[in-house]
Amino acid sequence: MACYGYARVSTKDQNEDRQIIALQEMRVPMQNIYVDRESGKDFQRKFYKRLIGRLKKGDVMYVKSIDRLGRCYKDIIEQWKCITKEKGADIVVIDMPILDTRNGKDLMGTFLSDIVLALLSYVSENERVNIRKRQAEGIAIAKAKGVRFGPSPRPLPENFDEVYLQWKHKEIPINKAAEMCGMPKSTFFDKAKRYGVRNYK
């Protein structure tokens, strides 16, 4: 029997130390701890797949909480069945002792574990959906208030006003104006339209 641990953070900026400490407290060897820095939206993760490939019958896989395993309700259930039924390994969710497949292997214990797993998986996915909904609502409100997203536009070159007026009065063609401002013709035309509306109504 071998013990493995799995930890996951959503971005490279997040820290997995708390999860690793919890796994080490379960006496999982450091060389058997696999860490992904990816979203939990699916299970196409490099180190998760590597861990699953190593699991054998009788092995134990530890994870700190169910949402570190994944976020999608349907996929969590499928992976749980793959690990416990197909692989014949056990799963221990450290923060939820009832989700320890080493215990209660009788019908009632399995039944209760399945109910709790289904509930927690649903809550985890529902929270992900709500977060995305709140983000979308926040972006919509910000846009309505005139907040711009994405990188800040580059400032116009110092000679833009002079070049714009020459182009507007047909003293130079647009390709010459764009060249003088150091930008593509389409970019100059777009900025000229906005500039004219804002400065020369």
Side-chain angles (χ1 to χ4, degrees):
M1 183 191 78
C3 292
Y4 296 93
Y6 180 72
R8 182 186 65 79
V9 289
S10 298
T11 69
K12 293 180 180 179
D13 296 330
Q14 293 179 332
N15 194 306
E16 69 276 8
D17 287 352
R18 284 192 306 157
Q19 296 177 64
I20 291 177
I21 290 171
L23 294 170
Q24 289 180 319
E25 289 176 349
M26 296 292 108
R27 299 187 178 181
V28 179
M30 191 63 200
Q31 67 269 21
N32 285 357
I33 295 177
Y34 292 74
V35 181
D36 275 312
R37 293 173 180 84
E38 296 184 41
S39 166
K41 64 180 181 179
D42 58 43
F43 284 86
Q44 298 305 309
R45 308 174 216 138
K46 178 180 177 181
F47 291 103
Y48 178 81
K49 291 194 291 185
R50 188 174 296 179
L51 168 56
I52 295 303
R54 291 193 61 182
L55 281 177
K56 300 184 297 294
K57 185 174 182 178
D59 289 346
V60 181
M61 173 181 164
Y62 289 88
V63 62
K64 189 173 188 305
S65 58
I66 196 69
D67 65 331
R68 297 303 87 196
L69 187 62
R71 292 283 190 181
C72 176
Y73 167 71
K74 176 175 172 288
D75 289 346
I76 291 174
I77 300 297
E78 287 180 358
Q79 288 298 311
W80 192 275
K81 289 179 179 177
C82 170
I83 294 167
T84 59
K85 302 295 193 297
E86 297 175 23
K87 292 281 186 177
D90 283 302
I91 304 177
V92 178
V93 179
I94 299 171
D95 287 352
M96 186 63 61
I98 195 172
L99 292 179
D100 182 344
T101 60
R102 298 172 302 177
N103 303 325
K105 288 187 178 289
D106 58 357
L107 183 61
M108 180 57 72
T110 302
F111 176 68
L112 290 174
S113 179
D114 287 347
I115 289 177
V116 174
L117 171 64
L119 178 61
L120 290 177
S121 300
Y122 170 78
V123 169
S124 177
E125 182 176 10
N126 195 54
E127 177 60 17
R128 181 173 67 93
V129 171
N130 286 336
I131 288 173
R132 292 176 64 183
K133 182 179 178 182
R134 289 194 293 268
Q135 287 175 337
E137 290 172 347
I139 291 172
I141 292 171
K143 284 184 176 179
K145 292 181 177 179
V147 176
R148 292 178 57 90
F149 290 88
S152 300
R154 294 177 61 182
L156 294 173
E158 293 182 1
N159 66 337
F160 190 86
D161 184 72
E162 178 184 349
V163 173
Y164 168 79
L165 289 173
Q166 290 181 38
W167 169 75
K168 183 181 179 184
H169 296 136
K170 297 183 171 52
E171 296 174 8
I172 56 174
I174 190 168
N175 56 338
K176 179 64 176 177
E179 181 183 343
M180 291 171 67
C181 290
M183 59 181 64
K185 185 168 67 173
S186 58
T187 302
F188 175 84
F189 184 71
D190 180 62
K191 291 187 178 297
K193 286 195 301 182
R194 301 185 185 191
Y195 189 79
V197 170
R198 187 170 61 248
N199 297 279
Y200 300 99
K201 294 181 180 178

